[in-house]
Amino acid sequence: LMNVQYAVWNGELYIIEANPRCSRTVPFAAKAIGYPLSNLAAQVMAGARIKELGIPLEPEPVMWHVKSPVFPFNKFPGEDSLLGPEMKSTGEVMGNAFTYGNAFAKAYRATGNKLPKSGAAFISVNDRDKGAAIEIARGLYQLGFDLLATQGTSDFLERAGLDVTPLKKLHQGSPNIVDYLTEKRVDLIINTPVGKESHHDDRYIRLNAIKAGVSCTTTLSAARALIEAIRAIKSERLTVNALQDLETPA
């Protein structure tokens, strides 16, 4: 077993590190596909051939399985939730279901984060993400959320036909997103970093979101997943499945 971390920069693939060890992903994958990967890997290291073990090279899980990291940001006042290449998670959880949204909802809730079904969603994205933000904003609107945004994002979304309440940036006065967080008038935040000129505002928004216990995501891919999860818990019943009861080979 080898734990390899990759990075893609300007179309080039780089290896950050490669460790000959069993990572936390291995037991997750083993549960998902139903094969004891650590046991099988030990046999291969001892000289067995993979074709002799009788396992498929591309096993197909019978359900969706989502692994979500657990972060301790709420226990460290002043710690920014913006992620980088360093390890910040203190654990991981697993959610499984027959739909992706349901599985993601279980994993997200298991990390201790709130998954709102309705309320107000604040969106502030950089210029590069504004085109993709239309899809996300429209999805939230269809789920019954009121949309809030900084002026630039608000103008962009309104031109796409969405009803948005504009908020001022922190240095512009009130009303701003921190005012709304303090007054418990926002339930979800989507904030993609917008560069050095707004670094202070973005960091302050994330710090206050943690303080207020409001879910805050800093990537559009996570925002799309959250929408799928909210849609699932509003339209499906969250069921509990024991891994031992699933129809897997092991």
Side-chain angles (χ1 to χ4, degrees), residues 92-120:
E92 293 169 346
V93 298
M94 179 179 187
N96 64 71
F98 288 103
T99 65
Y100 171 68
N102 201 319
F104 190 93
K106 288 181 179 180
Y108 195 76
R109 283 181 164 182
T111 63
N113 290 306
K114 294 179 180 179
L115 190 61
K117 293 182 180 180
S118 60

Side-chain angles (χ1 to χ4, degrees), residues 128-147:
R128 185 180 64 252
D129 292 337
K130 283 181 179 176
I134 294 175
E135 169 200 354
I136 291 169
R138 186 172 288 119
L140 289 169
Y141 183 80
Q142 291 170 347
L143 288 169
F145 282 82
D146 295 324
L147 301 179

Side-chain angles (χ1 to χ4, degrees), residues 15-30:
I15 295 179
I16 299 177
E17 63 176 47
N19 300 318
R21 64 179 176 84
C22 181
S23 70
R24 290 184 293 183
T25 302
V26 174
F28 170 85

